[in-house]
Amino acid sequence: MANEEVIHHSWRDSYRGMSSDNVKGLVLALSSSLFIGASFIVKKKGLKRAGATGVRAGVGGYSYLYEPLWWVGMITMIVGEIANFAAYAFAPAILVTPLGALSIIISAVLAHIMLKEKLHIFGILGCILCVVGSTTIVLHAPQERAIESVKEVWDLATEPGFLLYASLVIAAVFVLIFRFVPQYGQTHIMCYIGVCSLVGSLSVMSVKAIGIALKLTLSGMNQLIYPQTWAFTTVVILCVLTQMNYLNKALDTFNTAVVSPIYYVMFTSLTILASVIMFKDWDRQSPTQIVTEMCGFVTILSGTFLLHRTKDMTDGPAPLPVRLPKYTEEDGFSQEGIPLRRQETTSRST
């Protein structure tokens, strides 16, 4: 009996770190990932339909705005983002952001089923590694910082460390948009994803500020009277519009099973970095917790790298035809999955 009581207390003590607010944030973040993962696929199908009758988003077109299916995907993503928005009000970014790994699994599986995009066995293993790494981070996430006013968040955002980070991010975004995107956007996925991820790290910090302001307002402490609340709102609107534009370009130009994990890793990395700088999450953790979180993050990176490197692999040796068949353009690949540029080179050499 005494042993059972000791075991019971040990189990309870081991989970004492998960507060009620963290649990709420966890549930909201999981729901968000489900909606966002599905929205990638619905939006992709809408972009394909729009591209068949108008100018593709990947080359600067906006015909997808007239496609109902794209709007269904957009509404689904908005629902997911609202759940994500609420999650940041209850839990720290280090807990909420890594749970986006679930959206990788959903989007990759649905892309394999609905869009016929190849998902190799090693890609499945990569998705599993992403989930394992995310789980490790979640289990060692810090408690949410106690904040009594949106002014406290503004003070954190205007400290020299975060101002330096924000300045570097804004400078990098302008360099990507005006220097690299026009020249390399159609061939290098990191151009579009880089803009989305850099801007996204700033938007999450602002979203968290607004979420805290709304939570305090609903509890009886009105934060809507402070100009800081509306300043954070303006930042969120600008960042989200930028993210949406360049994410559409990435989805229309590159394979969904590749866009999702790369975007996830970059976005998560920069968001955690921004949160550590602004909210000083690691100041409330032991070295063991920090090292464990970093190991979990390396696991996520390994899974994403594995998924990216094996995206064009086939399950068996490919036949070598004497004459190459005519190809049809579908995301830059032939019917056999051979990159068009490589196939054209082979045709010229024969």
Side-chain angles (χ1 to χ4, degrees):
M1 187 69 179
N3 291 336
E4 291 180 359
E5 186 176 352
V6 171
I7 293 173
H8 173 73
H9 282 295
S10 298
W11 183 90
R12 184 180 61 188
D13 292 342
S14 65
Y15 285 91
R16 185 174 291 174
M18 184 67 76
S19 65
S20 60
D21 278 353
N22 276 17
V23 171
K24 292 176 184 176
L26 178 65
V27 173
L28 287 167
L30 289 173
S31 303
S32 170
S33 294
L34 290 172
F35 282 105
I36 291 175
S39 74
F40 271 103
I41 306 306
V42 179
K43 287 175 66 179
K44 176 83 173 186
K45 290 182 72 69
L47 289 169
K48 283 177 175 288
R49 287 188 183 180
T53 57
V55 181
R56 295 172 54 216
V59 293
Y62 295 93
S63 59
Y64 60 85
L65 294 176
Y66 301 97
E67 175 54 52
L69 190 60
W70 182 86
W71 282 106
V72 171
M74 193 63 208
I75 292 172
T76 305
M77 177 169 280
I78 290 173
V79 172
E81 293 295 348
I82 291 174
N84 200 48
F85 175 92
Y88 282 112
F90 290 98
I94 289 180
L95 187 153
V96 175
T97 308
L99 290 178
L102 181 59
S103 66
I104 295 178
I105 307 301
I106 295 170
S107 61
V109 172
L110 290 180
H112 178 72
I113 296 172
M114 300 176 62
L115 302 179
K116 308 303 179 183
E117 295 181 357
K118 184 64 178 176
L119 182 62
H120 192 267
I121 184 64
F122 289 110
I124 298 175
L125 177 60
C127 291
I128 294 174
L129 288 174
C130 289
V131 173
V132 171
S134 297
T135 303
T136 303
I137 293 176
V138 168
L139 292 177
H140 295 83
Q143 296 286 359
E144 173 70 323
R145 184 189 184 108
I147 294 178
E148 301 296 332
S149 170
V150 71
K151 289 184 176 180
E152 292 184 36
V153 185
W154 182 262
D155 291 339
L156 293 171
T158 53
E159 289 186 354
F162 189 75
L163 286 178
L164 176 61
Y165 172 80
S167 300
L168 292 175
V169 165
I170 294 172
V173 167
F174 276 106
V175 170
L176 283 173
I177 291 177
F178 295 107
R179 174 66 177 86
F180 290 100
V181 166
Q183 188 172 358
Y184 303 107
Q186 293 294 305
T187 56
H188 292 73
I189 192 173
M190 298 305 293
C191 293
Y192 293 145
I193 299 301
V195 174
C196 293
S197 302
L198 288 165
V199 172
S201 67
L202 297 181
S203 69
V204 167
M205 297 302 100
S206 298
V207 162
K208 187 169 181 63
I210 297 172
I212 292 172
L214 291 177
K215 184 174 70 171
L216 292 173
T217 299
L218 293 175
S219 66
M221 295 180 287
N222 187 9
Q223 303 295 305
L224 302 182
I225 60 175
Y226 298 117
Q228 290 89 340
T229 301
W230 301 106
F232 283 124
T233 302
T234 302
V235 173
V236 168
I237 293 173
L238 293 175
C239 290
V240 168
L241 289 175
T242 303
Q243 285 178 265
M244 183 179 68
N245 183 36
Y246 284 93
L247 183 58
N248 281 331
K249 293 178 182 294
L251 285 171
D252 191 52
T253 307
F254 303 98
N255 191 302
T256 306
V258 177
V259 171
S260 299
I262 293 179
Y263 176 51
Y264 166 75
V265 168
M266 286 198 65
F267 173 73
T268 302
S269 303
L270 293 169
T271 298
I272 290 176
L273 177 61
S275 181
V276 167
I277 294 173
M278 181 171 169
F279 290 97
K280 302 175 178 59
D281 294 321
W282 283 350
D283 290 353
R284 307 187 299 279
Q285 291 188 285
S286 66
T288 301
Q289 289 177 303
I290 295 174
V291 171
T292 303
E293 287 176 358
M294 295 307 297
C295 290
F297 188 63
V298 170
T299 303
I300 296 174
L301 292 178
S302 301
T304 306
F305 176 78
L306 184 61
L307 180 60
H308 177 56
R309 293 293 296 175
T310 61
K311 69 182 187 299
D312 297 328
M313 290 179 62
T314 58
D315 293 323
L320 297 174
V322 176
R323 177 178 296 179
L324 291 174
K326 293 177 68 176
Y327 57 82
T328 58
E329 183 173 343
E330 179 65 27
D331 290 332
F333 286 82
S334 69
Q335 293 175 341
E336 288 79 14
I338 303 174
L340 291 181
R341 184 175 298 174
R342 189 188 308 166
Q343 191 177 42
E344 289 168 356
T345 304
T346 306
S347 299
R348 286 195 296 268
S349 64
T350 55

